[in-house]
Amino acid sequence: MATHPVPAVQAFFDPATWTVSYVVYAAPGGDCAIVDAVLDYDAKSGRTSTASADRMADFVRAHKLTVQWILETHAHADHLSAAHYLRGTLGGKIAIGAPITQVQKVFQSIFHLEDSFTPDGSQFDHLLQDGEVIAVGPLSLQALAVPGHTPACMAFQVGDAVFVGDTLFMPDVGTARCDFPGGDAHVLYRSMQRMLSLPDTTRLFMCHDYPPAGRSAQWETTVAAQKATNIHVHDGVTEAEFVAMRQARDATLAMPNLILPSVQVNIRAGALPPPEANGVAYLKVPLNAL
């Protein structure tokens, strides 16, 4: 019987945005994928920096890894993506779920983007279809469509590990909001059931953690733990119960601090908007639009 290598997973936690990024690989000296990399952004000054991404790049170089893929679970609303920077630094192809085109069309209108912006996903090197399998060295990575938080959310399964994006959080935090454009709590419930139907021992890696008081940040759990103790979607919670809870909770939530700069950059695969005539790139703040 053929054996499959167990993926090695290195996490990088960004306390400024509560984001967890990952490098996934089979062994040092081989190929790797990067998941949900962070570009640092100072909202007060409008300055970007690459300290978080450079930590990942240093790890890749130290382990003599070759980047094949730079993956985005979705167009994040709480941090800017470093995918464009890392592709220029380390190589590899940037990929995201094919429904990103739906997200691009919505936000192209909200931000009234430049005429040259085309909402066809061409800013990314590859658009992943549900169930598509790509290679990361000897590892097989499967894209799993898990919409609900956004229409384009994808989880990535590599062996016994699944990178869930913003769909699920740690069991004591719950689940993702569904009130962004294109979000749907009914759809999210069904997406979570897809993940919770995986074997109980499957390792689930979060994209964020917002720990309750008294707990430090964590980002790895299991299907079994989620089914037993997730405060929003444990075994026995019906779709109707989940939707009622999610809609009531979402109605109380403020927009993420970085949603306006993040989405403008992330629908471009982490590239900044093109510079204007004075050589400066600008991010827009649409008034009374969200």
Side-chain angles (χ1 to χ4, degrees), residues 98-151:
I100 186 61
T101 56
Q102 300 176 37
V103 179
Q104 289 179 320
K105 288 172 184 174
V106 169
F107 284 100
Q108 178 188 38
S109 175
I110 289 174
F111 290 113
H112 193 60
L113 297 180
E114 68 278 0
D115 292 341
S116 61
F117 181 86
T118 305
D120 60 0
S122 58
Q123 299 79 5
F124 299 82
D125 298 308
H126 185 70
L127 299 183
L128 292 160
Q129 303 294 332
D130 183 29
E132 183 175 351
V133 177
I134 58 177
V136 182
L139 301 172
S140 293
L141 182 148
Q142 185 174 31
L144 305 174
V146 287
H149 174 58
T150 81

Side-chain angles (χ1 to χ4, degrees), residues 61-235:
R61 295 186 186 105
H63 289 75
K64 296 180 170 57
L65 298 169
T66 299
V67 176
Q68 283 190 296
W69 293 99
I70 302 170
L71 303 172
E72 299 286 355
T73 54
H74 63 295
H76 307 273
D78 38 28
H79 71 267
L80 280 66
S81 168
H84 181 79
Y85 169 75
L86 286 172
R87 182 180 62 185
T89 302
L90 298 172
K93 295 180 179 180
I94 304 173
I96 198 169
I100 186 61
T101 56
Q102 300 176 37
V103 179
Q104 289 179 320
K105 288 172 184 174
V106 169
F107 284 100
Q108 178 188 38
S109 175
I110 289 174
F111 290 113
H112 193 60
L113 297 180
E114 68 278 0
D115 292 341
S116 61
F117 181 86
T118 305
D120 60 0
S122 58
Q123 299 79 5
F124 299 82
D125 298 308
H126 185 70
L127 299 183
L128 292 160
Q129 303 294 332
D130 183 29
E132 183 175 351
V133 177
I134 58 177
V136 182
L139 301 172
S140 293
L141 182 148
Q142 185 174 31
L144 305 174
V146 287
H149 174 58
T150 81
C153 287
M154 284 277 183
F156 303 123
Q157 182 172 15
V158 190
D160 71 331
V162 179
F163 302 88
V164 303
D166 282 8
T167 304
L168 283 165
F169 296 138
M170 293 298 290
D172 59 355
V173 177
T175 57
R177 64 194 297 167
C178 300
D179 59 333
F180 295 156
D184 188 309
H186 290 280
V187 174
L188 179 62
Y189 181 87
R190 296 163 198 162
S191 293
M192 292 186 298
Q193 296 308 312
R194 181 180 193 182
M195 287 189 288
L196 296 179
S197 69
L198 295 169
D200 280 355
T201 56
T202 303
R203 296 183 289 163
L204 302 179
F205 292 91
M206 312 296 107
C207 182
H208 297 282
D209 188 36
Y210 306 102
R215 175 170 75 71
S216 59
Q218 299 173 11
W219 42 82
E220 180 180 349
T221 183
T222 65
V223 167
Q226 292 281 18
K227 291 195 298 186
T229 63
N230 186 288
I231 59 173
H232 294 165
V233 73
H234 57 77
D235 278 346

